[in-house]
Amino acid sequence: MRIVISCALLIILSLGLVFALEQAPLGSNHIDKKDKPGRYYLDQGMEKTGAANVVTSVVVTYRGFDTLGEVTILFIAAIGLGAVLYSRKKEKRDQKEKPSASLILQTGCRFLFPLIVLFGTYVFIHGHLSPGGGFQGGVIIASAFLLLFLGCKEKKIPMKSMNAVESLAGIIFVGIGLAGLYWGGSFLENFLPRGMPHMLLSGGVIPIIYIAIGFKVGAELAGIVAGLIERNP
Amino acid sequence: MIVGLYTMLTKKNLIKVIIGLSLFETGIHLLLVVVGYIQGATAPIFSKTTGSSAEMVDPTPQALVLTAIVIGVAILALALSLAIRLHEHYGTLNLRKIRELKW
Amino acid sequence: MVAVLLIVVPLGLAFAMPLFNFVSKHIAGYIPIAAMLCNLILSILLLPSVMENPQIVVLGGLSPPLGIHLVAGPLGVGLSGLISLVGLAVSIYAWGYIKQGAQDKYHALYLLLLSGATGAVLTGDLFNLFVFYEILCISSYALVAYLGDRNGVESAVKYLIQGSVGSGLILVGIAILYGMFGTLNMAQIAIHIKDVDSPAIFLALVFLVTGFGVEAAVFPLNAWLPDAHSTAPSSISAILSGIAIKVGIYAVARVLFTIFGVAVVFQYVLLLGLVTLLVGEICAFSQDNIKRMLAYSSVGQVGLIVFAICIATPDGVGAGLFQLVSHALSKAVLFLGVGYLVACSGSMSLSSLNGIGKRMPVVCFACVVAAFSLVGLPPFAGFAGKFLIIRAALAGKGIFFTVLIGIVLLATVVEGAYFFRMVQTLYFKDAKKQIEFKKTPASASIPILALVVLIVALGVYPDVLLPYLKSAAADLLNKAGYIKEVLG
């Protein structure tokens, strides 16, 4: 009975969706007019912000407020997780004796960990030059921590300093925004010199913000994973 | 997207419902990316090999999808932590049995 | 420029909360109070200057429509003032009420909820509205499950799943709108909507209203509300019923009026509002659990507010906004007071509160005042609200509106029935067992009494608020004026 009703609802929903999307001009050049934001970002993006990756300049500068909201949402997830999983039964944790991993796995994990962290750092530092950016790099770093949790169970991860890094990175983001307010006239304005395009130090505040986001996301997701695997010291 | 919704509506296990939620959100993200597509255009990154900005895809939906993916991850993390807590209280994740709050 | 500070100050303080926690464990309770006090002062200072000309605050250095901007108009600043007022009262209450669990995380989440709400009412960009709306929703999912008990976690899961599906539908609506118009700025979409005349617009509207309606709890999307509002800690129930629902209503109204403005849709949503009102009041009548009763009453009041706003005349919208303010204040008082009553008697069932009026006179008096205000008795704020709504509805023509007014009055009678039952239980029934009398701490009574004073003041002098409501209603209704302010 439940399946029948669900299928009926879903068929109506899909018909509506298909109908609506047929009308929308998908695939055509819908940003050819001058006043559309998309055309402006593509044409002027590189000169105005100095970043070669237009998506990065959109995410950090033009729609930077959305990025602030997004960083906030990740922060909420990490804190909410900590609040919900607070004071779980501690006795249950000690009872289960998990077998430790084999020597090959432990050595492999310890070897791979700095390489993956390096790759993640590369991704978020080069966010304005190639595909990637703060979020992607942060996630890669967090997956390095996940590997460490799964493979080497005896290594201690300093969770308190992760929380401090996360908090500090968030404050740096807000601080850069307020500095833009003070020096540039509007919140999150790009007030540093642009530099040459395609260089590492171009783009004004974009690399700084992305580095802060990279650290924050990495620390946050590592904290979330640690909370789920019950590794809070 | 529709597959995700179907999973959410019919499955009994909470983890399967959460997986359905993830499928639903992935479908929506793909929809958003497709909205920005322009036929024959390339990725919006300037480098020595790409041409002018006239042949690039719209960058705004890609930025929107970045934000939406992060929001989806946050919701998933919270949902999983709630599932852990729920399992602690009820001992089961069968949604038909977790119905204490009635009318 | 000041409007940005309204959002950024609570956000920055919330980010810094773990660092404050390293310094001292007790400092966490004071931070939301400080942030909300700052917001309240800023909103009150900002309000007179935006009454005539809304301030457009540019973010990221790009003027609209290319970048994101905030529209600090009378509606936005007024609502953010309401948010900071109720937020301040509830944070003072929570300072003394929340004693278990990870308290610094509670206060951080609470502050983030309020900054999400403030951001949602102040923004002028559709996707930004979605992002701040999500901040509000996700913090409320986490806060509902804060106590970690069986019922709380179960209702948080249900709330989360329904809320996430709603958010997904909003994104689909935004995708369709972006595909058709290539911009996310609400004013620019409003201009171009007239050019395109296809049913896909209507579908985008349906998706958006459904998605935002999940949080606003219009029927049939309100299944999560009775569970979530009744099992959350009382301060969170107060904020959810008082603020979070209102932001949902604001989002629906902003989408309907400013972006779409199609006349025939208003009638449908008006009917939905009436159905919500009836469903809410009838279900509330049959409840024994007092917090669940209050939650269903919130559903009913949301229906009433949506009904008033969808009359789509300046009087109607102004009346709906007045009712919104009065309901936020009264419901906050009710949930905060009931929180301590339940803590004393140990159970949420109505019969366990017999005769508690003699033991805890201050709290019960406040609850009674708030209940009378909700029912609509003079001289309280609710009377002015309902009177304004009925007067606005009478101005509409035809039998149709008279029937609707009849239904509103019927619902008011039902509401009166269950609230009088509550008053009767509190005062006139004898206590069955000895209830331990815990003295209500000052941190609880002061905010409750302050809000009660406001309810009485609004009831006796409703004209104080009316000029603000008129400009706020004009802000919502005057689509051409909004476009001109934003795009120049």
Side-chain angles (χ1 to χ4, degrees):
Chain A
M1 185 60 200
R2 196 183 182 89
I3 298 189
V4 169
I5 299 182
S6 330
C7 279
L9 268 177
L10 288 178
I11 290 181
I12 298 178
L13 186 66
S14 4
L15 281 177
L17 264 178
V18 165
F19 181 64
L21 292 173
E22 226 182 345
Q23 309 270 332
L26 294 176
S28 69
N29 196 350
H30 57 273
I31 52 167
D32 48 357
K33 295 213 194 62
K34 270 281 178 265
D35 66 337
K36 296 280 196 290
R39 175 56 40 202
Y40 179 84
Y41 298 152
L42 281 178
D43 290 336
Q44 317 268 348
M46 194 153 99
E47 297 116 49
K48 289 281 168 66
T49 64
N53 186 348
V54 182
V55 178
T56 301
S57 66
V58 171
V59 163
V60 174
T61 313
Y62 295 120
R63 298 210 132 244
F65 213 49
D66 283 344
T67 308
L68 182 62
E70 178 183 352
V71 162
T72 313
I73 292 185
L74 255 189
F75 186 63
I76 297 177
I79 291 195
L81 204 105
V84 167
L85 290 178
Y86 186 77
S87 78
R88 298 172 50 203
K89 304 195 179 78
K90 288 189 174 36
E91 318 88 41
K92 269 193 184 172
R93 259 186 275 165
D94 302 324
Q95 277 170 13
K96 292 188 210 160
E97 274 288 333
K98 295 200 182 97
S100 60
S102 73
L103 187 59
I104 296 185
L105 200 57
Q106 285 192 23
T107 321
C109 288
R110 277 200 222 136
F111 179 64
L112 277 178
F113 176 72
L115 291 179
I116 300 182
V117 171
L118 188 63
F119 180 55
T121 315
Y122 165 77
V123 167
F124 75 65
I125 288 187
H126 280 79
H128 54 294
L129 298 173
S130 59
F135 294 101
Q136 293 88 323
V139 168
I140 295 179
I141 294 182
S143 68
F145 276 102
L146 177 61
L147 183 67
L148 204 62
F149 288 148
L150 288 179
C152 323
K153 295 196 194 312
E154 291 81 25
K155 225 166 172 44
K156 290 255 176 281
I157 310 291
M159 274 302 134
K160 274 205 167 23
S161 47
M162 290 275 188
N163 283 339
V165 163
E166 176 185 339
S167 188
L168 214 56
I171 296 176
I172 290 180
F173 193 171
V174 175
I176 290 182
L178 286 174
L181 180 64
Y182 181 61
W183 270 303
S186 58
F187 191 70
L188 279 180
E189 177 154 358
N190 208 344
F191 60 91
L192 289 181
R194 303 288 183 267
M196 301 258 301
H198 306 301
M199 294 269 109
L200 195 55
L201 282 180
S202 59
V205 287
I206 296 183
I208 307 181
I209 293 186
Y210 251 174
I211 292 178
I213 292 182
F215 275 122
K216 185 170 182 35
V217 171
E220 245 160 20
L221 283 180
I224 289 181
V225 166
L228 286 175
I229 307 187
E230 322 163 17
R231 285 280 241 126
N232 286 325
Chain B
M1 187 173 101
I2 302 292
V3 171
L5 271 181
Y6 175 77
T7 317
M8 280 167 65
L9 286 173
T10 51
K11 294 294 178 193
K12 293 195 287 262
N13 195 333
L14 181 62
I15 300 290
K16 293 189 185 169
V17 170
I18 295 179
I19 293 180
L21 182 68
S22 171
L23 283 176
F24 173 66
E25 285 177 359
T26 309
I28 295 184
H29 299 153
L30 286 176
L31 174 69
L32 264 177
V33 171
V34 161
V35 163
Y37 177 64
I38 300 180
Q39 255 180 345
T42 176
I45 300 182
F46 288 101
S47 72
K48 301 187 191 61
T49 52
T50 53
S52 75
S53 66
E55 300 150 4
M56 288 189 176
V57 195
D58 197 353
T60 320
Q62 305 195 4
L64 302 182
V65 166
L66 246 177
T67 309
I69 292 181
V70 171
I71 297 179
V73 162
I75 296 182
L76 236 60
L78 210 53
L80 287 174
S81 73
L82 286 176
I84 292 182
R85 264 308 209 177
L86 211 56
H87 183 78
E88 255 177 38
H89 281 301
Y90 284 90
T92 168
L93 282 176
N94 190 342
L95 279 178
R96 304 279 181 270
K97 298 213 177 87
I98 306 179
R99 280 186 171 227
E100 268 196 13
L101 291 174
K102 284 211 210 47
W103 187 245
Chain C
M1 186 173 78
V2 172
V4 182
L5 289 177
L6 280 173
I7 306 176
V8 170
V9 165
L11 258 186
L13 284 176
F15 279 151
M17 191 78 84
L19 290 179
F20 287 139
N21 200 33
F22 278 141
V23 169
S24 139
K25 288 238 180 292
H26 298 289
I27 212 174
Y30 296 99
I31 297 180
I33 301 179
M36 283 299 114
L37 195 59
C38 170
N39 262 14
L40 184 61
I41 297 176
L42 281 177
S43 312
I44 294 182
L45 287 178
L46 199 55
L47 194 55
S49 54
V50 298
M51 292 269 290
E52 292 301 313
N53 321 329
Q55 269 184 24
I56 309 290
V57 178
V58 167
L59 298 172
L62 280 177
S63 45
L66 294 169
I68 305 179
H69 60 286
L70 302 177
V71 180
L75 184 60
V77 177
L79 274 180
S80 82
L82 177 69
I83 291 173
S84 43
L85 177 67
V86 176
L88 179 64
V90 175
S91 55
I92 298 180
Y93 178 94
W95 178 74
Y97 183 72
I98 299 289
K99 292 273 183 252
Q100 45 169 322
Q103 291 170 36
D104 61 319
K105 300 197 163 66
Y106 168 88
H107 290 295
L109 283 170
Y110 178 76
L111 203 51
L112 285 167
L113 196 158
L114 289 175
S115 55
T118 316
V121 302
L122 281 176
T123 181
D125 178 275
L126 192 57
F127 193 70
N128 210 13
L129 176 65
F130 169 69
V131 169
F132 277 107
Y133 175 84
E134 278 305 296
I135 295 182
L136 171 71
C137 287
I138 298 186
S139 3
S140 57
Y141 304 152
L143 279 173
V144 166
Y146 176 74
L147 287 177
D149 58 335
R150 279 171 91 104
N151 294 336
V153 176
E154 176 194 338
S155 49
V157 167
K158 286 194 212 164
Y159 179 23
L160 188 147
I161 293 185
Q162 297 188 21
S164 316
V165 174
S167 323
L169 292 178
I170 299 175
L171 267 184
V172 173
I174 293 182
I176 298 179
L177 277 184
Y178 187 79
M180 307 213 76
F181 298 118
T183 173
L184 288 168
N185 194 333
M186 292 206 269
Q188 216 179 18
I189 298 181
I191 292 187
H192 291 295
I193 276 236
K194 293 191 280 289
D195 307 332
V196 180
D197 185 30
S198 88
I201 301 289
F202 181 68
L203 272 169
L205 173 65
V206 165
F207 279 125
L208 279 174
V209 166
T210 312
F212 283 123
V214 169
E215 181 72 17
V218 291
F219 183 81
L221 302 162
N222 59 351
W224 57 273
L225 198 143
D227 297 336
H229 285 205
S230 58
T231 56
S234 294
S235 51
I236 297 301
S237 307
I239 273 290
L240 283 182
S241 269
I243 298 295
I245 307 187
K246 312 299 188 294
V247 173
I249 299 179
Y250 166 81
V252 171
R254 183 58 90 186
V255 165
L256 273 180
F257 283 93
T258 310
I259 299 187
F260 289 94
V262 177
V264 82
V265 176
F266 288 134
Q267 301 233 327
Y268 285 132
V269 185
L270 193 137
L271 285 175
L272 259 185
L274 265 183
V275 172
T276 313
L277 172 65
L278 280 177
V279 164
E281 306 297 357
I282 294 178
C283 291
F285 184 69
S286 59
Q287 288 300 318
D288 186 45
N289 182 335
I290 187 169
K291 283 178 76 166
R292 223 169 148 80
M293 181 180 99
L294 290 177
Y296 271 116
S297 154
S298 285
V299 173
Q301 292 288 313
V302 162
L304 183 62
I305 297 174
V306 168
F307 167 74
I309 291 184
C310 283
I311 300 182
T313 64
D315 286 329
V317 176
L321 289 175
F322 191 91
Q323 183 68 13
L324 192 146
V325 171
S326 103
H327 176 244
L329 294 174
S330 327
K331 221 13 112 54
V333 168
L334 273 172
F335 268 116
L336 294 181
V338 164
Y340 266 109
L341 294 180
V342 164
C344 263
S345 77
S347 125
M348 290 207 271
S349 142
L350 196 56
S351 45
S352 76
L353 294 176
N354 282 342
I356 209 174
K358 304 180 189 61
R359 306 296 195 101
M360 304 178 77
V362 170
V363 172
C364 285
F365 170 70
C367 286
V368 166
V369 166
F372 283 165
S373 163
L374 272 182
V375 174
L377 298 178
F380 301 117
F383 169 69
K386 292 217 168 136
F387 179 69
L388 285 171
I389 293 179
I390 295 188
R391 193 174 69 174
L394 276 174
K397 298 170 267 298
I399 295 283
F400 184 55
F401 272 103
T402 325
V403 166
L404 298 181
I405 295 172
I407 299 183
V408 168
L409 289 173
L410 176 67
T412 311
V413 166
V414 173
E415 208 174 353
Y418 64 77
F419 272 123
F420 281 132
R421 190 175 65 188
M422 180 181 107
V423 172
Q424 194 187 29
T425 315
L426 285 180
Y427 281 113
F428 298 119
K429 292 225 175 111
D430 295 319
K432 284 196 190 126
K433 58 177 170 65
Q434 278 301 87
I435 305 175
E436 288 175 32
F437 176 48
K438 293 181 209 148
K439 193 160 155 34
T440 330
S443 70
S445 2
I446 293 179
I448 297 182
L449 284 176
L451 289 177
V452 164
V453 164
L454 268 176
I455 295 178
V456 173
L458 268 185
V460 176
Y461 297 113
D463 300 321
V464 169
L465 210 52
L466 279 180
Y468 296 109
L469 289 178
K470 275 212 186 341
S471 358
D475 182 353
L476 202 55
L477 284 171
N478 192 357
K479 196 163 118 164
Y482 179 82
I483 297 177
K484 202 158 61 91
E485 291 290 344
V486 171
L487 293 176

PDB file of all heavy atoms in Angstrom, chain C residues 284-302:
ATOM      1  N   ALA C 284      -4.996  20.522  18.630  1.00  0.00           N
ATOM      2  CA  ALA C 284      -4.535  20.998  19.931  1.00  0.00           C
ATOM      3  C   ALA C 284      -5.566  20.707  21.003  1.00  0.00           C
ATOM      4  O   ALA C 284      -5.224  20.458  22.150  1.00  0.00           O
ATOM      5  CB  ALA C 284      -4.272  22.499  19.857  1.00  0.00           C
ATOM      6  N   PHE C 285      -6.832  20.746  20.609  1.00  0.00           N
ATOM      7  CA  PHE C 285      -7.882  20.561  21.588  1.00  0.00           C
ATOM      8  C   PHE C 285      -7.830  19.184  22.225  1.00  0.00           C
ATOM      9  O   PHE C 285      -8.178  18.999  23.387  1.00  0.00           O
ATOM     10  CB  PHE C 285      -9.239  20.777  20.890  1.00  0.00           C
ATOM     11  CG  PHE C 285     -10.387  20.710  21.812  1.00  0.00           C
ATOM     12  CD1 PHE C 285     -10.581  21.697  22.755  1.00  0.00           C
ATOM     13  CD2 PHE C 285     -11.277  19.659  21.766  1.00  0.00           C
ATOM     14  CE1 PHE C 285     -11.639  21.655  23.604  1.00  0.00           C
ATOM     15  CE2 PHE C 285     -12.348  19.605  22.620  1.00  0.00           C
ATOM     16  CZ  PHE C 285     -12.525  20.607  23.546  1.00  0.00           C
ATOM     17  N   SER C 286      -7.375  18.177  21.465  1.00  0.00           N
ATOM     18  CA  SER C 286      -7.459  16.823  21.973  1.00  0.00           C
ATOM     19  C   SER C 286      -6.173  16.354  22.624  1.00  0.00           C
ATOM     20  O   SER C 286      -5.979  15.167  22.815  1.00  0.00           O
ATOM     21  CB  SER C 286      -7.817  15.871  20.843  1.00  0.00           C
ATOM     22  OG  SER C 286      -6.829  15.958  19.845  1.00  0.00           O
ATOM     23  N   GLN C 287      -5.263  17.304  22.964  1.00  0.00           N
ATOM     24  CA  GLN C 287      -3.979  16.865  23.487  1.00  0.00           C
ATOM     25  C   GLN C 287      -4.003  16.851  24.997  1.00  0.00           C
ATOM     26  O   GLN C 287      -4.646  17.684  25.632  1.00  0.00           O
ATOM     27  CB  GLN C 287      -2.873  17.829  23.047  1.00  0.00           C
ATOM     28  CG  GLN C 287      -2.531  17.723  21.591  1.00  0.00           C
ATOM     29  CD  GLN C 287      -2.053  16.348  21.235  1.00  0.00           C
ATOM     30  OE1 GLN C 287      -1.294  15.736  21.956  1.00  0.00           O
ATOM     31  NE2 GLN C 287      -2.532  15.865  20.111  1.00  0.00           N
ATOM     32  N   ASP C 288      -3.257  15.941  25.576  1.00  0.00           N
ATOM     33  CA  ASP C 288      -3.067  15.935  27.010  1.00  0.00           C
ATOM     34  C   ASP C 288      -1.683  16.457  27.396  1.00  0.00           C
ATOM     35  O   ASP C 288      -1.497  17.088  28.422  1.00  0.00           O
ATOM     36  CB  ASP C 288      -3.237  14.513  27.547  1.00  0.00           C
ATOM     37  CG  ASP C 288      -3.198  14.494  29.051  1.00  0.00           C
ATOM     38  OD1 ASP C 288      -3.852  15.361  29.659  1.00  0.00           O
ATOM     39  OD2 ASP C 288      -2.512  13.648  29.619  1.00  0.00           O
ATOM     40  N   ASN C 289      -0.707  16.221  26.529  1.00  0.00           N
ATOM     41  CA  ASN C 289       0.656  16.688  26.758  1.00  0.00           C
ATOM     42  C   ASN C 289       0.689  18.186  26.503  1.00  0.00           C
ATOM     43  O   ASN C 289       0.336  18.639  25.418  1.00  0.00           O
ATOM     44  CB  ASN C 289       1.559  15.960  25.762  1.00  0.00           C
ATOM     45  CG  ASN C 289       3.011  16.318  25.926  1.00  0.00           C
ATOM     46  OD1 ASN C 289       3.354  17.367  26.403  1.00  0.00           O
ATOM     47  ND2 ASN C 289       3.855  15.402  25.501  1.00  0.00           N
ATOM     48  N   ILE C 290       1.085  18.977  27.488  1.00  0.00           N
ATOM     49  CA  ILE C 290       0.906  20.422  27.343  1.00  0.00           C
ATOM     50  C   ILE C 290       1.810  21.015  26.271  1.00  0.00           C
ATOM     51  O   ILE C 290       1.406  21.889  25.519  1.00  0.00           O
ATOM     52  CB  ILE C 290       1.074  21.135  28.690  1.00  0.00           C
ATOM     53  CG1 ILE C 290       0.709  22.592  28.538  1.00  0.00           C
ATOM     54  CG2 ILE C 290       2.481  21.013  29.214  1.00  0.00           C
ATOM     55  CD1 ILE C 290       0.593  23.310  29.824  1.00  0.00           C
ATOM     56  N   LYS C 291       3.008  20.482  26.143  1.00  0.00           N
ATOM     57  CA  LYS C 291       3.882  21.068  25.126  1.00  0.00           C
ATOM     58  C   LYS C 291       3.409  20.707  23.723  1.00  0.00           C
ATOM     59  O   LYS C 291       3.549  21.488  22.776  1.00  0.00           O
ATOM     60  CB  LYS C 291       5.320  20.629  25.335  1.00  0.00           C
ATOM     61  CG  LYS C 291       5.966  21.385  26.474  1.00  0.00           C
ATOM     62  CD  LYS C 291       7.368  20.948  26.753  1.00  0.00           C
ATOM     63  CE  LYS C 291       8.350  21.473  25.752  1.00  0.00           C
ATOM     64  NZ  LYS C 291       9.722  21.327  26.219  1.00  0.00           N
ATOM     65  N   ARG C 292       2.836  19.517  23.571  1.00  0.00           N
ATOM     66  CA  ARG C 292       2.305  19.145  22.269  1.00  0.00           C
ATOM     67  C   ARG C 292       1.106  20.013  21.930  1.00  0.00           C
ATOM     68  O   ARG C 292       0.897  20.382  20.783  1.00  0.00           O
ATOM     69  CB  ARG C 292       1.891  17.689  22.324  1.00  0.00           C
ATOM     70  CG  ARG C 292       2.273  16.906  21.153  1.00  0.00           C
ATOM     71  CD  ARG C 292       2.042  15.454  21.441  1.00  0.00           C
ATOM     72  NE  ARG C 292       1.688  14.807  20.210  1.00  0.00           N
ATOM     73  CZ  ARG C 292       2.561  14.425  19.292  1.00  0.00           C
ATOM     74  NH1 ARG C 292       3.823  14.636  19.508  1.00  0.00           N
ATOM     75  NH2 ARG C 292       2.171  13.863  18.181  1.00  0.00           N
ATOM     76  N   MET C 293       0.317  20.357  22.954  1.00  0.00           N
ATOM     77  CA  MET C 293      -0.829  21.229  22.742  1.00  0.00           C
ATOM     78  C   MET C 293      -0.360  22.585  22.245  1.00  0.00           C
ATOM     79  O   MET C 293      -0.895  23.145  21.290  1.00  0.00           O
ATOM     80  CB  MET C 293      -1.568  21.378  24.071  1.00  0.00           C
ATOM     81  CG  MET C 293      -2.785  22.233  24.026  1.00  0.00           C
ATOM     82  SD  MET C 293      -3.521  22.310  25.637  1.00  0.00           S
ATOM     83  CE  MET C 293      -2.888  23.857  26.209  1.00  0.00           C
ATOM     84  N   LEU C 294       0.694  23.118  22.892  1.00  0.00           N
ATOM     85  CA  LEU C 294       1.215  24.408  22.456  1.00  0.00           C
ATOM     86  C   LEU C 294       1.790  24.320  21.046  1.00  0.00           C
ATOM     87  O   LEU C 294       1.683  25.263  20.267  1.00  0.00           O
ATOM     88  CB  LEU C 294       2.313  24.867  23.419  1.00  0.00           C
ATOM     89  CG  LEU C 294       1.834  25.270  24.813  1.00  0.00           C
ATOM     90  CD1 LEU C 294       3.011  25.618  25.667  1.00  0.00           C
ATOM     91  CD2 LEU C 294       0.891  26.439  24.714  1.00  0.00           C
ATOM     92  N   ALA C 295       2.402  23.180  20.707  1.00  0.00           N
ATOM     93  CA  ALA C 295       2.969  23.039  19.366  1.00  0.00           C
ATOM     94  C   ALA C 295       1.865  23.048  18.308  1.00  0.00           C
ATOM     95  O   ALA C 295       1.974  23.711  17.278  1.00  0.00           O
ATOM     96  CB  ALA C 295       3.787  21.749  19.273  1.00  0.00           C
ATOM     97  N   TYR C 296       0.781  22.321  18.564  1.00  0.00           N
ATOM     98  CA  TYR C 296      -0.321  22.343  17.605  1.00  0.00           C
ATOM     99  C   TYR C 296      -0.948  23.726  17.524  1.00  0.00           C
ATOM    100  O   TYR C 296      -1.391  24.168  16.469  1.00  0.00           O
ATOM    101  CB  TYR C 296      -1.391  21.320  17.994  1.00  0.00           C
ATOM    102  CG  TYR C 296      -1.149  19.956  17.413  1.00  0.00           C
ATOM    103  CD1 TYR C 296      -0.890  18.860  18.227  1.00  0.00           C
ATOM    104  CD2 TYR C 296      -1.173  19.768  16.050  1.00  0.00           C
ATOM    105  CE1 TYR C 296      -0.666  17.624  17.686  1.00  0.00           C
ATOM    106  CE2 TYR C 296      -0.939  18.522  15.499  1.00  0.00           C
ATOM    107  CZ  TYR C 296      -0.693  17.457  16.323  1.00  0.00           C
ATOM    108  OH  TYR C 296      -0.463  16.223  15.791  1.00  0.00           O
ATOM    109  N   SER C 297      -0.970  24.425  18.658  1.00  0.00           N
ATOM    110  CA  SER C 297      -1.484  25.790  18.608  1.00  0.00           C
ATOM    111  C   SER C 297      -0.606  26.662  17.722  1.00  0.00           C
ATOM    112  O   SER C 297      -1.108  27.532  17.002  1.00  0.00           O
ATOM    113  CB  SER C 297      -1.551  26.332  20.036  1.00  0.00           C
ATOM    114  OG  SER C 297      -1.461  27.715  20.020  1.00  0.00           O
ATOM    115  N   SER C 298       0.727  26.407  17.729  1.00  0.00           N
ATOM    116  CA  SER C 298       1.608  27.147  16.816  1.00  0.00           C
ATOM    117  C   SER C 298       1.226  26.881  15.376  1.00  0.00           C
ATOM    118  O   SER C 298       1.225  27.794  14.546  1.00  0.00           O
ATOM    119  CB  SER C 298       3.063  26.719  17.007  1.00  0.00           C
ATOM    120  OG  SER C 298       3.596  27.255  18.158  1.00  0.00           O
ATOM    121  N   VAL C 299       0.922  25.614  15.064  1.00  0.00           N
ATOM    122  CA  VAL C 299       0.518  25.273  13.694  1.00  0.00           C
ATOM    123  C   VAL C 299      -0.709  26.082  13.306  1.00  0.00           C
ATOM    124  O   VAL C 299      -0.784  26.674  12.229  1.00  0.00           O
ATOM    125  CB  VAL C 299       0.224  23.765  13.582  1.00  0.00           C
ATOM    126  CG1 VAL C 299      -0.365  23.434  12.234  1.00  0.00           C
ATOM    127  CG2 VAL C 299       1.468  22.964  13.796  1.00  0.00           C
ATOM    128  N   GLY C 300      -1.678  26.137  14.227  1.00  0.00           N
ATOM    129  CA  GLY C 300      -2.880  26.891  13.935  1.00  0.00           C
ATOM    130  C   GLY C 300      -2.604  28.369  13.696  1.00  0.00           C
ATOM    131  O   GLY C 300      -3.108  28.975  12.748  1.00  0.00           O
ATOM    132  N   GLN C 301      -1.766  28.942  14.549  1.00  0.00           N
ATOM    133  CA  GLN C 301      -1.472  30.366  14.402  1.00  0.00           C
ATOM    134  C   GLN C 301      -0.730  30.644  13.103  1.00  0.00           C
ATOM    135  O   GLN C 301      -0.926  31.689  12.486  1.00  0.00           O
ATOM    136  CB  GLN C 301      -0.625  30.844  15.585  1.00  0.00           C
ATOM    137  CG  GLN C 301      -1.375  30.840  16.892  1.00  0.00           C
ATOM    138  CD  GLN C 301      -2.386  31.944  16.925  1.00  0.00           C
ATOM    139  OE1 GLN C 301      -2.091  33.072  16.591  1.00  0.00           O
ATOM    140  NE2 GLN C 301      -3.594  31.615  17.315  1.00  0.00           N
ATOM    141  N   VAL C 302       0.146  29.730  12.700  1.00  0.00           N
ATOM    142  CA  VAL C 302       0.831  29.905  11.411  1.00  0.00           C
ATOM    143  C   VAL C 302      -0.205  29.972  10.300  1.00  0.00           C
ATOM    144  O   VAL C 302      -0.111  30.803   9.393  1.00  0.00           O
ATOM    145  CB  VAL C 302       1.812  28.749  11.159  1.00  0.00           C
ATOM    146  CG1 VAL C 302       2.184  28.658   9.703  1.00  0.00           C
ATOM    147  CG2 VAL C 302       3.052  28.928  11.984  1.00  0.00           C
TER     148      VAL C 302
END
